[in-house]
Amino acid sequence: MATITQNPDIRFLGRLLGDVIRAYGGDGLFRRIEYIRSASVDRARGLAGGDIDPGLDALTLDEALAFTRGFMLFSLLANLAEDRQGATTEQGSDLSDALERLEKEGIDRAAALDLLNRALIAPVLTAHPTEVRRKSIIDHRNRIAALMRLKDAGREETPDGEIIDEAITRQIALLWQTRPLRRERLFVADEIEIALSYLRDSFLPVLPALYARWERALGHRPASFLKPGNWIGGDRDGNPFVTADTLRLNLATASEAVLAHYLDLTHALGAELSISSELATVTGDVEALAEGGQDPSPARADEPYRRALTGIYARLAATCTKITGKAPARPAAHPADAYATPEELRHDLVTLAHALGGAGKGLLSSGGALGRLIRAVETFGFHLATLDLRQNSDVHERVVAELLKVAGVEADYLALDEEARVALLRRELGHNRPLSSAYCTYSDETASELAIMHAAADAHALYGPACITTHIISKAATVSDMLEVAVMLKEAGLYRAPEEEDGTPHSAIMVVPLFETIGDLERGPEVMTDWFALPEVSAVVCARGHQEVMVGYSDSNKDGGYLTSVWSLHQASRALAEVFAKQNVAMQLFHGRGGAVGRGGGSAFAAILAQPPGTVQGRIRITEQGEVIAAKYGTRESTAANLEIMASATLLSSLEQGEVAPADYARFAEAMSGISHDAFTNFRALVYETEGFRTFFRQFTPIAEIADLKIGSRPASRTKSDRIEDLRAIPWVFSWSQARVMLPGWYGVGQALDTADTGMLKEMVASWPFLRATLANLEMVLAKSDMGIAERYLALVEDQDAGRAIFDRIRDGWQLTHDRLLDITGQSRLLEKSPALDASVRLRLPYIEPLNFLQIELIKRHRAGEDDPRVREGIQLSINAIATALRNSG
Ligand code: PGA
């Protein structure tokens, strides 16, 4: 395929793809695809002759499928080429740059180090169903990326002697012949395996190496402040397939992977540290370790490090057998005691490191394989990544009500008001007698929840308490929602009341509210004030020193529209920071955001920097999901770049002075509240108060077809109802983006901006990172949306008059948003001031439009009852291809 781009990689890969299509599909197919492609490119450039319909109409069904695959693969290769140009060029996205930027503001390295020593930065992988590509497709893509890197290095051949260009063509040919759609629904076990591949192949090798680089930049060794987390097998909100078994499966496979890694590294270290006691001084500590190593080999009698490592290996092997139930592939030289904790293992390794560093002017001290192994043990423990638990507050309520009823404590908990609930739950937390009994029968739901609590307690005993640190409550709104979880944890001994009069309670797992509707975000600070006011809570939190609050971007968006969502999140964070400061507890915000802007997506660097002052303070967790995971963590290079961005942005956001003076902030905030209120009213009026909107949405977008895609183990709706309130945010955002409306990213904003003062808005954009980041994301969404294409989806709506009326409102809103945005940002067209993004979007648009047209046609046939399986396949392929081209699906 010839292409319209300046990026030579895209041209190169596009040409190879064209060769592959011609070779396997024949000249005829290639020419038909090429005809549509060039017509579409002409159309995008506004040239004459850009009519793509004749080309599409001429395709047979089989050709349409091939065409869709071709365009999908082109987008995949274009994404790859773009990723190679660097994850970001934002200034300060490198830790050294960030340190320099801080230094200019008078903040020195010691302050940065001090902050990082108290920090926790955690990307948390979730199984949220937005990744449409199969793992096999992503793996081929990554192989091409690796080959391109060899090409960059000036090589013509791979280490195996293959010509690189031929090897790339081979991979593209394999891509062409690999089925892009999954046949089977994904199971939780598949999702666990996919996440594990990123944790094992990207995080595990990359993080220790990154720390070594950061240590050099800082001039000192920082604590291990960046650690990965995940949700898969523990997040059971709306997913009946997540059970105690999946929780165990996740932890067991992760632990096996990390222990195997430690065993390999220890073995390799044994080969490396060949130091002879005849040629070097060896400390008594190392000698003692060597003695414990019981290595009988006379050849190693003078090699204390090797002997010590033989012992460490034996203990690690025993740890592996104890924890995983499986002996390692490479057996230990002799039996030994397992390490009880990762700290014990770390202690032995540090003993070796100190001894190495203490001699020879420290030549052997820093970094190296031993340094990386120590870092790995600190970061990944015996568990690899923390696993969070999550469930909906409604479920907790029912479970606790049943437990109380069966135990004869309270017949109708659900009938109690908040005050009575809190009083009752606190009484239960005041003693250690459990409510449940092995001799009673419970509903499946309660039994499953209890089993999860017990599985979590077992996991703590086996892998250490770092394996599960939080239990998140979706749709949290009250203090009782949080106390209910504490009561459930107590059933498995994970919450303990004080055993003596003056003792303190202990919670081995932190109870974390997720505030995710506009109302819940507004009330969040008050709920946290009441939470801290409870003496037992205050004691637990003070002992821990920090408390997490999770905030949800998607549901707040679905509830109140884009602007109100981001503004509510901003305000809630500020108000929460005040509550926490009063309590003298460190706040840890957990941002539940997705890839698309309607779900909080956009540049992570800008998003972290735009957090209100005082709300980060070194502690931040962020969800990473769906297609974002492959984009950020698909290769070691991109993993390193993205983790570095997270660390730098957190540092800058914690230490830089806010750009806005308090008096200006007060003015801006007042204006923003007015704008947000108007945007909210407009959004709700369309989505929740327009008669027939629900039907319009169901017919206009491919929501039904998306729900049918096999991209995740979780159902698309929380309940069986078709209310928008009950639909999960992901399919809501996903379906609007397929129809190129992207309504969750902008609707309501134009009307609100229209009544606001332009001068003031311009001033706000110039000096307020929050508004800048907000509008930058909105602009990207507008650039990817297309009302001309969207209008064609009207053909799918049965009641044309009603559909037209709703669509016209959407289109008018779009136009207003577009015009106001340009006015405020001083541009004559979208993305005028963001040339890189502009080029990327422009390159893609001509590849999406024909897919949209084809999708509409196939959906029409499908909904009219045509049962040729290729029609359904075509729809799914088109969804896949459009999502790939847009780069953020939902
Ligand atoms: P949730 O996530 O529905 O699992 O809360 C929403 C999202 O990430 O969009």
Side-chain angles (χ1 to χ4, degrees):
M1 269 187 203
T3 69
I4 52 164
T5 169
Q6 299 305 319
N7 182 324
D9 289 350
I10 298 186
R11 213 172 313 133
F12 169 69
L13 293 169
R15 182 170 54 73
L16 296 189
L17 175 61
D19 293 347
V20 165
I21 294 178
R22 213 185 332 232
Y24 289 93
D27 251 358
L29 176 72
F30 175 76
R31 271 204 307 277
R32 271 192 279 284
I33 294 183
E34 190 51 28
Y35 172 86
I36 300 170
R37 196 196 60 76
S38 59
S40 190
V41 169
D42 285 351
R43 187 179 156 93
R45 287 179 176 163
L47 299 176
D51 188 358
I52 54 183
D53 287 312
L56 286 172
D57 292 346
L59 298 178
T60 64
L61 206 42
D62 283 331
E63 283 171 346
L65 297 186
F67 154 79
T68 310
R69 244 166 354 107
F71 269 38
M72 190 269 287
L73 291 180
F74 176 79
S75 300
L76 185 91
L77 297 172
N79 293 348
L80 183 161
E82 219 169 74
D83 289 344
R84 281 165 44 76
Q85 286 189 331
T88 176
T89 47
E90 284 157 305
Q91 193 248 328
S93 55
D94 191 275
L95 196 81
S96 311
D97 292 348
L99 290 170
E100 237 169 69
R101 186 162 141 176
L102 287 172
E103 228 149 65
K104 284 198 192 113
E105 295 180 30
I107 299 160
D108 62 13
R109 267 152 221 247
L113 187 69
D114 181 52
L115 182 101
L116 292 176
N117 282 339
R118 289 180 278 120
L120 172 74
I121 304 176
V124 181
L125 311 187
T126 78
H128 282 40
T130 60
E131 174 59 90
V132 288
R133 295 166 303 171
R134 288 178 64 204
K135 187 72 172 45
S136 319
I137 298 271
I138 296 174
D139 288 345
H140 286 309
R141 177 221 171 270
N142 289 343
R143 278 181 214 115
I144 297 172
L147 290 164
M148 294 291 282
R149 280 196 296 280
L150 286 180
K151 218 169 136 70
D152 292 342
R155 307 265 293 267
E156 277 173 18
E157 286 182 12
T158 68
D160 299 326
E162 239 188 310
I163 305 290
I164 292 181
D165 285 8
E166 284 174 11
I168 295 177
T169 310
R170 191 192 322 283
Q171 289 302 324
I172 296 180
L174 289 171
L175 271 174
W176 178 249
Q177 297 179 90
T178 300
R179 169 171 45 81
L181 296 173
R182 288 192 194 96
R183 285 267 158 78
E184 305 288 329
R185 200 166 190 105
L186 272 182
F187 294 106
V188 182
D190 303 316
E191 293 169 336
I192 289 173
E193 199 181 306
I194 292 170
L196 179 66
S197 70
Y198 291 100
L199 291 166
R200 183 193 51 220
D201 303 337
S202 297
F203 285 82
L204 198 50
V206 166
L207 256 175
L210 262 184
Y211 275 117
R213 183 192 306 160
W214 294 340
E215 185 174 334
R216 283 195 300 279
L218 287 158
H220 279 279
R221 183 181 197 277
S224 296
F225 57 85
L226 201 157
K227 299 178 178 180
N230 82 114
W231 270 18
I232 305 156
D235 167 25
R236 53 205 191 279
D237 171 17
N239 191 342
F241 308 111
V242 175
T243 61
D245 283 343
T246 61
L247 180 88
R248 278 191 283 268
L249 179 68
N250 177 322
L251 290 167
T253 45
S255 183
E256 244 174 68
V258 77
L259 289 170
H261 182 69
Y262 296 162
L263 283 161
D264 284 348
L265 292 187
T266 306
H267 179 73
L269 262 179
E272 184 183 327
L273 294 183
S274 52
I275 300 166
S276 162
S277 50
E278 289 162 16
L279 301 172
T281 348
V282 173
T283 64
D285 286 346
V286 172
E287 275 303 350
L289 259 185
E291 283 310 303
Q294 301 175 32
D295 190 334
S297 162
R300 285 190 281 275
D302 69 327
E303 295 176 346
Y305 288 92
R306 281 185 165 165
R307 280 168 38 230
L309 282 159
T310 305
I312 294 174
Y313 188 92
R315 292 197 66 186
L316 253 176
T319 313
C320 179
T321 309
K322 179 183 138 208
I323 291 185
T324 67
K326 298 177 195 161
R330 189 187 304 106
H334 57 81
D337 292 338
Y339 285 113
T341 61
E343 289 72 31
E344 276 186 20
L345 165 62
R346 180 183 175 280
H347 178 269
D348 282 357
L349 298 170
V350 167
T351 302
L352 300 185
H354 278 166
L356 287 176
K361 300 201 171 126
L363 272 185
L364 281 174
S365 65
S366 69
L370 179 58
R372 287 196 297 278
L373 178 55
I374 294 173
R375 206 41 112 164
V377 174
E378 285 177 12
T379 309
F380 306 108
F382 292 159
H383 62 284
L384 184 53
T386 52
L387 176 59
D388 294 349
L389 307 179
R390 182 172 78 140
Q391 181 55 289
N392 198 293
S393 59
D394 291 345
V395 176
H396 299 143
E397 228 164 69
R398 288 195 295 270
V399 167
V400 167
E402 184 175 343
L403 290 175
L404 289 166
K405 186 170 172 193
V406 174
V409 177
E410 168 59 57
D412 195 359
Y413 173 75
L414 296 179
L416 301 182
D417 64 15
E418 173 67 10
E419 200 182 327
R421 286 184 182 193
V422 168
L424 171 56
L425 296 170
R426 290 187 61 203
R427 272 201 305 280
E428 284 307 314
L429 292 174
H431 60 77
N432 281 317
R433 197 173 55 248
L435 285 166
S436 56
S437 155
Y439 305 104
C440 296
T441 317
Y442 298 98
S443 63
D444 289 350
E445 181 173 72
T446 298
S448 171
E449 289 295 305
L450 283 175
I452 298 243
M453 297 299 129
H454 288 289
D458 293 346
H460 269 207
L462 198 55
Y463 310 104
C467 69
I468 301 175
T469 57
T470 52
H471 188 302
I472 297 156
I473 307 155
S474 303
K475 296 266 144 57
T478 58
V479 166
S480 66
D481 286 341
M482 297 167 72
L483 291 173
E484 282 157 9
V485 172
V487 165
M488 287 169 60
L489 290 171
K490 197 191 99 180
E491 292 303 304
L494 291 165
Y495 179 98
R496 281 177 192 275
E499 270 158 26
E500 293 135 28
E501 190 85 347
D502 54 354
T504 50
H506 174 73
S507 190
I509 290 181
M510 176 163 44
V511 176
V512 174
L514 162 50
F515 298 122
E516 51 185 335
T517 62
I518 301 292
D520 290 345
L521 280 167
E522 281 167 4
R523 283 185 299 274
E526 195 185 312
V527 172
M528 293 315 287
T529 307
D530 294 347
W531 172 245
F532 289 140
L534 303 178
E536 55 278 55
V537 168
S538 162
V540 167
V541 174
C542 282
R544 189 191 305 118
H546 65 271
Q547 164 77 44
E548 179 170 286
V549 173
M550 182 165 185
V551 288
Y553 288 66
S554 319
D555 276 276
S556 57
N557 180 306
K558 188 158 72 72
D559 190 26
Y562 174 58
L563 205 69
T564 306
S565 158
V566 290
W567 179 234
S568 304
L569 287 158
H570 184 92
Q571 279 184 305
S573 313
R574 278 181 81 100
L576 283 166
E578 276 172 37
V579 171
F580 276 71
K582 261 194 214 127
Q583 189 68 25
N584 204 15
V585 169
M587 176 166 83
Q588 178 170 306
L589 278 187
F590 185 6
H591 300 264
R593 66 201 286 269
V597 169
R599 293 175 45 236
S603 151
F605 185 71
I608 298 175
L609 280 191
Q611 292 303 312
T615 58
V616 179
Q617 297 310 313
R619 302 195 78 92
I620 188 165
R621 295 208 304 151
I622 300 183
T623 51
E624 299 285 24
Q625 38 191 283
E627 72 284 1
V628 175
I629 298 181
K632 285 190 172 176
Y633 307 115
T635 64
R636 292 186 184 186
E637 291 75 14
S638 64
T639 304
N642 283 295
L643 292 177
E644 179 124 23
I645 284 172
M646 234 181 142
S648 321
T650 304
L651 198 59
L652 291 171
S653 179
S654 306
L655 294 177
E656 272 190 324
Q657 303 300 325
E659 278 179 62
V660 186
D664 286 338
Y665 183 80
R667 279 192 307 125
F668 292 174
E670 197 189 324
M672 200 60 211
S673 294
I675 299 170
S676 160
H677 177 264
D678 287 352
F680 178 80
T681 312
N682 275 297
F683 178 83
R684 301 263 334 166
L686 177 75
V687 174
Y688 294 99
E689 289 151 26
T690 301
E691 214 190 297
F693 185 82
R694 207 190 301 177
T695 312
F696 172 82
F697 165 65
R698 299 245 165 221
Q699 295 178 355
F700 181 87
T701 72
I703 175 70
E705 291 73 18
I706 284 173
D708 210 25
L709 275 182
K710 296 178 176 55
I711 57 173
S713 69
R714 187 172 86 171
S717 228
R718 283 195 154 102
T719 65
K720 293 214 159 38
S721 95
D722 73 343
R723 292 182 346 139
I724 289 171
E725 289 88 332
D726 296 323
L727 181 67
R728 298 224 72 127
I730 289 172
W732 164 254
V733 175
F734 200 153
S735 46
W736 283 118
S737 91
Q738 288 281 315
R740 305 294 298 284
V741 178
M742 291 153 173
L743 179 125
W746 58 268
Y747 191 82
V749 182
Q751 293 101 316
L753 293 179
D754 202 34
T755 49
D757 176 63
T758 306
M760 175 86 168
L761 283 170
K762 285 187 171 168
E763 186 193 345
M764 286 159 74
V765 171
S767 51
W768 196 13
F770 163 74
L771 192 59
R772 257 204 312 278
T774 300
L775 294 185
N777 285 334
L778 182 138
E779 187 175 351
M780 177 182 79
V781 172
L782 288 184
K784 289 185 178 179
S785 63
D786 185 316
M787 288 300 119
I789 297 175
E791 190 168 3
R792 291 227 186 179
Y793 281 79
L794 258 184
L796 299 173
V797 177
E798 279 164 27
D799 182 341
Q800 280 290 306
D801 291 342
R804 165 62 63 188
I806 293 179
F807 182 74
D808 284 349
R809 272 170 78 185
I810 295 177
R811 193 182 40 204
D812 293 348
W814 187 93
Q815 196 60 47
L816 201 52
T817 309
H818 169 268
D819 296 350
R820 289 299 283 148
L821 180 86
L822 292 189
D823 192 18
I824 296 163
T825 53
Q827 300 180 101
S828 62
R829 61 174 176 81
L830 291 174
L831 300 180
E832 192 179 16
K833 294 183 179 167
S834 317
L837 185 57
D838 188 33
S840 151
V841 172
R842 274 166 184 270
L843 165 72
R844 284 183 165 62
L845 292 182
Y847 289 84
I848 314 180
E849 190 165 8
L851 293 168
N852 281 121
F853 291 0
L854 195 69
Q855 180 175 82
I856 296 167
E857 183 52 35
L858 293 174
I859 292 181
K860 233 191 281 172
R861 287 162 66 170
H862 180 61
R863 291 187 187 168
E866 191 171 329
D867 56 6
D868 188 330
R870 288 174 302 173
V871 172
R872 197 160 155 264
E873 191 182 337
I875 296 172
Q876 299 197 338
L877 264 178
S878 70
I879 295 174
N880 192 310
I882 294 172
T884 305
L886 289 171
R887 295 220 77 171
N888 32 39
S889 31

